[in-house]
Amino acid sequence: RPTVTFDNVVFGYESDRTILQGLSFEVPAGDNVAIVGPSGAGKSTIARLLFRFYDPWSGRILIDGKDISQITQTSLRAAIGIVPQDSVLFNETIGYNIAYGKDGTSDQQVMSAARDASILPFIEQLPQGFDTEVGERGLKLSGGEKQRVAIARTLVKNPPILMLDEATSALDSRTEQDILATLHRVSRDRTTLSIAHRLSTIADAHEILVLDQGKLAERGTHSALLQHD
Ligand code: ADP
Ligand code: ADP
């Protein structure tokens, strides 16, 4: 399990506007660190930099001490699994959706990931059924079940780093609790960076970083930050 480090990262999309203003933090191996902050603070930008959609203007992003610009795209993608807020499923079996785009995925890996995401009974089924009647193999997945497919997809190649990007914010609160429990379970033995805008969704983070206008306004444990409020 790797350590993820942001070391004085400065970045903007346009040269006249700096978005991240010298951001430094570390996610220790196997820990769970969460970033919260208002919309526009730069949270998603952190995710995009970690995936190297962009490179920092200055500063470094390291995985186990190695600058990610020195890591091949293939290894970077294998190292980091992202659970997005929302994902689109093809009208193919859940199993196919889990393996899609992941070269050389075995049935074993699909089943194991589906089991970890608690979606295993559905892997032979189609995700969306049909308009009027549920088709032969079709079923209509709920938002929570769809999110379980996304989690299985993320886990299928067993990435040691997880990035949870508002992973439950599209769900109603009861479903959110179920999915949070699953995410808690699957992130326990991985290095996890969560992005969220509500403190309630990141109760299990070891450290919470409060990002405001591209700077860390505060950092601390969940209970310490709640006391401040
Ligand atoms: P490179 O790695 O290509 O030598 P840099 O490390 O300087 O370039 O920057 C990485 C990316 O960020 C490049 O695409 C560069 O154009 C862009 N960039 C760097 N500094 C600025 C800046 N001050 N304003 C806008 N874009 C910048
Ligand atoms: P958050 O995830 O915290 O809501 P983002 O990281 O998405 O914030 O955005 C931070 C800032 O960067 C915002 O002001 C946003 O408008 C700006 N921004 C995001 N993406 C782009 C882009 N592709 N080009 C220019 N500005 C962008």
Side-chain angles (χ1 to χ4, degrees):
R1 300 169 309 180
T3 296
V4 174
T5 311
F6 273 60
D7 174 21
N8 205 14
V9 170
V10 178
F11 173 75
Y13 297 93
E14 287 143 10
S15 56
D16 58 352
R17 184 157 170 244
T18 312
I19 301 291
L20 299 181
Q21 327 228 16
L23 190 61
S24 296
F25 64 88
E26 186 158 278
V27 191
D31 264 9
N32 185 341
V33 168
I35 297 174
V36 295
S39 176
K43 303 183 297 294
S44 304
T45 301
I46 291 172
R48 291 178 203 131
L49 291 175
L50 184 57
F51 276 96
R52 288 202 74 212
F53 293 154
Y54 303 92
D55 286 325
W57 291 351
S58 65
R60 297 178 310 159
I61 301 168
L62 312 163
I63 293 180
D64 265 349
K66 191 163 181 167
D67 196 309
I68 60 170
S69 65
Q70 307 301 311
I71 301 174
T72 64
Q73 275 300 328
T74 316
S75 335
L76 193 63
R77 258 141 231 284
I80 310 167
I82 183 159
V83 180
Q85 177 175 340
D86 234 329
S87 52
V88 178
L89 301 181
F90 302 107
N91 199 20
E92 299 277 355
T93 64
I94 303 295
Y96 178 96
N97 274 278
I98 292 172
Y100 180 80
K102 316 265 180 188
D103 288 343
T105 304
S106 67
D107 289 353
Q108 211 54 49
Q109 286 173 311
V110 171
M111 289 203 304
S112 162
R115 191 177 303 113
D116 288 346
S118 305
I119 196 80
L120 183 60
F122 292 170
I123 58 170
E124 300 292 340
Q125 314 237 19
L126 296 171
Q128 44 230 1
F130 300 105
D131 273 348
T132 49
E133 238 175 302
V134 172
E136 199 186 334
R137 290 185 305 162
L139 77 165
K140 192 133 178 83
L141 288 189
S142 69
E145 288 159 351
K146 274 193 198 155
Q147 203 53 351
R148 292 187 185 285
V149 177
I151 294 167
R153 227 186 148 247
T154 303
L155 296 179
V156 76
K157 290 289 192 170
N158 200 19
I161 300 170
L162 279 187
M163 166 101 234
L164 311 180
D165 188 0
E166 303 278 5
T168 60
S169 51
L171 305 171
D172 65 72
S173 61
R174 170 120 184 275
T175 309
E176 176 167 55
Q177 291 312 311
D178 290 348
I179 299 297
L180 284 173
T182 298
L183 288 172
H184 182 56
R185 185 158 42 75
V186 303
S187 65
R188 202 146 41 196
D189 56 357
R190 294 182 163 92
T191 303
T192 306
L193 182 60
S194 316
I195 289 176
H197 57 267
R198 280 179 300 139
L199 277 174
S200 61
T201 63
I202 49 171
D204 61 334
H206 295 106
E207 187 182 32
I208 294 167
L209 311 174
V210 182
L211 191 69
D212 192 19
Q213 300 189 35
K215 282 195 243 171
L216 290 183
E218 245 185 303
R219 62 200 302 168
T221 60
H222 197 260
S223 52
L225 289 177
L226 282 178
Q227 270 164 19
H228 278 238
D229 282 348

